[in-house]
């Protein structure tokens, strides 16, 4: 109810500018954005379909992967369709409730993605360091508990942001120089003190994500120690191969994410156009590349993908 119980200060619609300084190129910029978004939709839907119908993929790693695919779909769908409507239809208006909803899904899926990658690192740690106990440690019940816990954590971390924004009066401009609503960008439009928004919006999600990164790093230190203790070179290569796709996805997620966050907070010399363009690429490119990386790097998925399309095209 808090989203709809708004004061007269913020009852009017907001206007999303798009990418400031590049308005004349919006139509052309929208073409690759749309193409990448379609790749993300198709790739993640195929990944979810394969995991759902193939019994051999009903393992903890693939359950976490299916959750990553679903959050990637939510992350890209929360922003890209509205961005394309700005680029192609000049439909810039968004209600305050719609802005809060878009912001909530954007930020919560970011925190959830980070937690899923941490869970996948734990899965690989157990699979490589304690292979004989893998099925007893990561039982279906345990996997469900992990999924519920990390989803609840993401919800609890981002929900206060909604309350922090609804308390602010927006009595100056309602023009947002961005393609989607994000917490600090909206808060800076308020005609009130936003110190709490800045510190909560920066410190709490960042500290949460940093703790995830630390746990992922610890997991991979133990994994590498276990791998290099394996007797044969072939066994070491196989073990490293199972982690290769996960490492690629981790790098694709965290490097642009941290750059975007730090540039927004400290990068006063970074041009606004570059920052907003980069922020948009971060929303659409990892969701498009994740299923491709897992499809190429993971033998079980690659084999099922080839089988799926060879059955559809027997000739």
């Amino acid at each position: 109810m808090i989203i709809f119980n708004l004061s007269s200060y913020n009852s009017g619609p907001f206007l999303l500018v798009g990418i400031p300084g590049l308005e004349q190129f919006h139509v052309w910029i929208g073409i690759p954005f749309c193409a990448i978004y379609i790749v993300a939709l198709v790739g993640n839907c195929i990944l979810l379909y394969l995991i759902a119908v193939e019994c051999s993929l009903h393992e903890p790693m693939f359950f976490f992967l299916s959750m990553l695919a679903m959050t990637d779909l939510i992350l890209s769908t929360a922003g890209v369709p509205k961005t394309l409507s700005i680029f192609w239809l000049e439909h810039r208006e968004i209600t305050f409730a719609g802005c809060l909803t878009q912001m909530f899904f954007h930020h919560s899926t970011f925190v959830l993605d980070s937690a899923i990658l941490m869970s996948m690192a734990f899965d690989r740690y157990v699979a490589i360091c304690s292979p004989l106990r893998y099925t007893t440690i990561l039982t279906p019940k345990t996997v469900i508990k992990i999924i519920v816990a990390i989803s609840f954590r993401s919800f609890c971390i981002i929900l206060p942001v909604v309350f922090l924004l609804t308390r602010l009066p927006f009595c100056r401009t309602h023009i947002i120089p961005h393609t989607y609503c994000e917490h600090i960008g909206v808060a800076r439009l308020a005609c009130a003190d936003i110190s709490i928004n800045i510190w909560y919006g920066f410190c709490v999600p960042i500290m949460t994500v940093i703790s995830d990164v630390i746990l992922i790093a610890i997991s991979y230190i133990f994994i590498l120690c276990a791998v290099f203790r394996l007797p044969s070179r072939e066994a070491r290569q196989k073990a490293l191969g199972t982690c290769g796709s996960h490492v690629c996805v981790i790098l694709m997620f965290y490097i642009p994410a941290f750059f975007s966050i730090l540039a927004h907070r400290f990068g006063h010399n970074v041009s606004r156009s570059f920052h907003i363009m980069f922020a948009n690429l971060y929303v659409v490119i990892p969701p498009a590349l994740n299923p491709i990386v897992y499809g190429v790097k993971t033998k079980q998925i690659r084999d099922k993908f080839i089988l799926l399309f060879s059955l559809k095209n027997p000739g």
Side-chain angles (χ1 to χ4, degrees):
M1 292 300 294
I2 189 69
I3 292 178
F4 301 100
N5 187 20
L6 307 174
S7 71
S8 59
Y9 283 114
N10 49 30
S11 58
F14 284 77
L15 290 176
L16 292 163
V17 171
I19 303 177
L22 298 177
E23 288 87 353
Q24 66 271 32
F25 302 112
H26 275 178
V27 173
W28 301 107
I29 294 172
I31 295 173
F33 269 79
C34 182
I36 297 170
Y37 178 58
I38 291 170
V39 171
L41 287 179
V42 173
N44 284 291
C45 286
I46 291 174
L47 194 59
L48 287 170
Y49 173 77
L50 289 175
I51 294 172
V53 301
E54 294 294 339
C55 294
S56 61
L57 299 180
H58 292 177
E59 298 177 4
M61 183 181 79
F62 297 110
F63 286 138
F64 291 130
L65 180 55
S66 65
M67 192 178 181
L68 182 68
M70 285 188 283
T71 55
D72 280 345
L73 286 172
I74 295 171
L75 175 63
S76 55
T77 302
V80 177
K82 181 60 182 177
T83 298
L84 293 177
S85 74
I86 296 169
F87 287 169
W88 289 344
L89 305 176
E90 296 190 0
H91 184 218
R92 305 178 190 277
E93 281 195 5
I94 185 170
T95 63
F96 186 61
C99 191
L100 290 180
T101 303
Q102 185 186 56
M103 179 212 66
F104 175 81
F105 280 107
H106 177 78
H107 291 316
S108 61
T109 50
F110 168 74
V111 175
L112 184 55
D113 265 350
S114 178
I116 294 169
L117 292 175
M118 177 186 65
S119 303
M120 294 173 77
F122 175 69
D123 169 85
R124 291 299 84 203
Y125 163 74
V126 176
I128 292 174
C129 297
S130 302
L132 298 179
R133 299 175 57 205
Y134 181 75
T135 54
T136 57
I137 295 175
L138 285 172
T139 61
K141 189 175 181 180
T142 302
V143 171
I144 291 171
K145 286 180 179 179
I146 292 172
I147 290 172
V148 171
I150 62 178
S151 300
F152 183 70
R153 186 191 76 157
S154 303
F155 178 82
C156 291
I157 289 171
I158 301 303
L159 184 62
V161 171
V162 176
F163 289 86
L164 288 173
L165 281 178
T166 54
R167 73 182 179 86
L168 295 174
F170 296 92
C171 50
R172 292 199 296 259
T173 180
H174 280 205
I175 299 173
I176 302 173
H178 212 304
T179 56
Y180 58 82
C181 295
E182 54 88 27
H183 175 211
I184 301 302
V186 176
R188 282 178 175 159
L189 302 180
C191 46
D193 181 35
I194 61 168
S195 300
I196 298 175
N197 295 72
I198 291 173
W199 285 110
Y200 185 91
F202 181 72
C203 293
V204 176
I206 287 297
M207 292 308 297
T208 303
V209 172
I210 286 175
S211 67
D212 292 343
V213 171
I214 291 171
L215 291 172
I216 289 171
I218 292 171
S219 296
Y220 271 93
I221 289 170
F222 283 114
I223 287 171
L224 289 174
C225 290
V227 165
F228 289 115
R229 283 199 300 265
L230 293 174
S232 69
R233 182 179 177 182
E234 183 180 347
R236 289 195 295 269
Q237 288 179 339
K238 184 178 179 181
L240 290 173
T242 61
C243 300
S245 54
H246 188 216
V247 172
C248 289
V249 169
I250 288 171
L251 294 175
M252 286 191 305
F253 177 78
Y254 284 113
I255 291 175
F258 278 120
F259 175 83
S260 182
I261 292 169
L262 294 174
H264 191 78
R265 183 68 181 87
F266 301 109
H268 303 297
N269 294 325
V270 178
S271 73
R272 179 176 287 180
S273 298
F274 177 80
H275 173 71
I276 294 174
M277 177 71 80
F278 194 88
N280 277 274
L281 292 174
Y282 157 71
V283 168
V284 71
I285 287 182
L289 290 182
N290 286 351
I292 296 173
V293 169
Y294 276 104
V296 171
K297 290 278 189 179
T298 309
K299 186 177 185 300
Q300 299 101 307
I301 294 176
R302 185 171 66 245
D303 291 345
K304 298 301 179 184
F305 179 82
I306 293 170
L307 181 61
L308 174 67
F309 282 91
S310 62
L311 288 175
K312 290 185 177 181
N313 299 286

